[in-house]
Amino acid sequence: MKKSHIFVGLLTLCTAAIVLTGCGSSSSSSTSSSKKDPQTGEAYPKTMKVGLMEGGPESAILAKEGYLKDLGVKVKTTTYSSGTSINNAIVSKDLDAASFGVSPFALGVSNGVSYKAVGISYVESGNIEALVSKKSITSIKKLKGKTIGVTFGTTSQYALVKTLKAAGIKTSQVKFKDLSGQNIVAAWKRGDIDAAYTWSPALNSIEKTGNVLSTDGKLKSQGVEIPEVSVVSTSFAKKYPTLTKKYEQAMLKVYKLVKNNPKKAIKDVASWEGISESEAKSQITENDWLSGNVQESYLSSGKLAKILKTVEVFNKQQKNISSVPSSSTMSDAIDASYVKKALK
């Protein structure tokens, strides 16, 4: 398994290297402003840098609907293929805000990435992430001795280990291969892997010729919740609390579209991810999307903190980190005040 020193090493890479490994594409809104934040008096930045997650339906809707154009400053968006790449970009100050899974968020907290969880778009469910095997493998138990592709440090890795454990399979009984989404597809076609746990668009590609053995939805029914967390750099949130609130308001618009016009949301996801509407549908209809009030409760009640601790313990067991952060460190990484303000 990947060691924690590998992740820490990545955080020290130069910005250029991080961009090469993390970015898929970028774009900018045309709005700019010289206003000051009314709460702090700090002059707004020329550009707010927002990360979008490849295969993230909330990112797809933000991009397609242009919700970030209402923030009052120019916004540059960059697409990333994994949460680890987002962590690296925040450390290098290439990003101010983003939304990704709880597992890379936990890795970031444990490695000292300075950001706050300010919202939760949804709890993963349905087949937004899934375990797919070759046709000849008809059950999870038959994965013993097989090679499984997964992106280390992601919610898929977390979900995969939880799935194997539920089936009575130890991680020592399988071989994990650390692959990005595109490389999972290539390895699948070559026959280098017997199975993979991944998300769209790689998932949509490999499931056409494989068996879906398990999904995040099945894990959720077993009590394993994997929230999609919105984060903002601590320094950015401190200097620009109003912009942070507006970012959360943009995320709440995503929720409203999903609930009020799911067909439009599905079209957005399909168009942005380059998949069919039938393939995109589950990302909208099967995920457990959270209203602003539920998000605020999730953050302030300690529910996210409890999940975060569970994931941190998991990462320690998998030797992704050397030690579990203190309770105060985990609590400090969660701030419900911005979504609360966004609701007013």
Side-chain angles (χ1 to χ4, degrees):
M1 301 302 294
K2 184 176 286 187
K3 309 292 185 182
S4 60
H5 71 268
I6 296 176
F7 180 82
V8 174
L10 281 172
L11 299 183
T12 63
L13 291 174
C14 66
T15 299
I18 293 170
V19 170
L20 286 172
T21 59
C23 300
S25 60
S26 64
S27 62
S28 301
S29 73
S30 59
T31 304
S32 62
S33 173
S34 59
K35 295 179 180 178
K36 294 182 178 180
D37 191 290
Q39 294 186 54
T40 63
E42 293 278 357
Y44 278 168
K46 292 182 178 180
T47 303
M48 181 176 178
K49 296 162 286 187
V50 177
L52 303 179
M53 185 68 198
E54 180 183 281
E58 78 281 21
S59 292
I61 295 169
L62 275 179
K64 297 299 291 187
E65 295 298 325
Y67 290 152
L68 294 172
K69 293 180 179 179
D70 300 328
L71 269 61
V73 294
K74 183 178 180 181
V75 176
K76 177 184 178 182
T77 61
T78 304
T79 302
Y80 293 83
S81 62
S82 71
T84 299
S85 297
I86 286 174
N87 279 330
N88 293 333
I90 289 176
V91 168
S92 67
K93 302 187 184 305
D94 288 331
L95 271 187
D96 301 311
S99 180
F100 59 166
V102 70
S103 188
F105 172 60
L107 281 174
V109 171
S110 64
N111 282 284
V113 179
S114 183
Y115 50 25
K116 304 279 188 182
V118 297
I120 300 172
S121 298
Y122 55 86
V123 175
E124 294 182 9
S125 192
N127 68 339
I128 188 167
E129 295 182 351
L131 174 60
V132 182
S133 69
K134 292 179 177 178
K135 287 286 189 181
S136 58
I137 300 172
T138 56
S139 71
I140 297 173
K141 291 186 181 295
K142 291 184 178 181
L143 287 172
K144 286 183 180 180
K146 304 299 184 181
T147 300
I148 307 174
V150 66
T151 309
F152 285 8
T154 64
T155 56
S156 283
Q157 183 194 17
Y158 177 65
L160 172 58
V161 175
K162 288 288 187 180
T163 298
L164 293 174
K165 183 178 179 181
I169 300 177
K170 298 178 181 179
T171 54
S172 60
Q173 294 176 305
V174 297
K175 180 181 178 181
F176 289 167
K177 200 172 183 67
D178 184 11
L179 298 168
S180 67
Q182 290 182 340
N183 287 331
I184 281 176
V185 175
W188 177 269
K189 291 179 179 178
R190 290 194 304 266
D192 294 347
I193 55 177
D194 302 294
Y197 208 120
T198 190
W199 61 89
S200 175
L203 173 60
N204 300 105
S205 178
I206 66 174
E207 68 178 349
K208 293 175 181 177
T209 55
N211 288 324
V212 176
L213 299 179
S214 188
T215 66
D216 281 2
K218 185 174 181 179
L219 279 178
K220 186 171 181 289
S221 70
Q222 296 170 341
V224 180
E225 290 196 14
I226 304 176
E228 192 82 353
V229 183
S230 298
V231 301
V232 176
S233 159
T234 301
S235 59
F236 186 93
K238 184 177 180 179
K239 289 179 70 174
Y240 313 115
T242 302
L243 284 181
T244 302
K245 179 192 72 173
K246 289 183 176 181
Y247 172 69
E248 263 310 293
Q249 287 175 331
M251 300 302 291
L252 293 181
K253 288 181 180 179
V254 172
Y255 168 80
K256 290 178 181 177
L257 183 71
V258 168
K259 292 301 178 182
N260 297 331
N261 194 349
K263 289 184 178 180
K264 184 68 168 66
I266 292 168
K267 287 180 180 293
D268 285 346
V269 172
S271 175
W272 197 69
E273 294 184 10
I275 58 179
S276 68
E277 289 183 26
S278 61
E279 290 172 326
K281 184 178 180 180
S282 64
Q283 295 187 45
I284 298 301
T285 61
E286 295 181 15
N287 277 322
D288 185 9
W289 294 84
L290 307 185
S291 68
N293 288 324
V294 175
Q295 289 186 45
E296 193 275 330
S297 175
Y298 213 107
L299 294 168
S300 63
S301 67
K303 188 170 184 178
L304 179 58
K306 184 177 180 180
I307 293 173
L308 181 59
K309 183 174 182 179
T310 299
V311 179
E312 295 286 17
V313 170
F314 161 83
N315 281 325
K316 173 68 166 55
Q317 293 170 341
Q318 297 301 305
K319 299 182 180 180
N320 290 329
I321 59 175
S322 58
S323 62
V324 175
S326 66
S327 296
S328 61
T329 297
M330 288 186 277
S331 295
D332 287 344
I334 300 170
D335 193 333
S337 66
Y338 296 103
V339 69
K340 188 174 183 179
K341 292 174 184 176
L343 289 167
K344 294 181 179 180

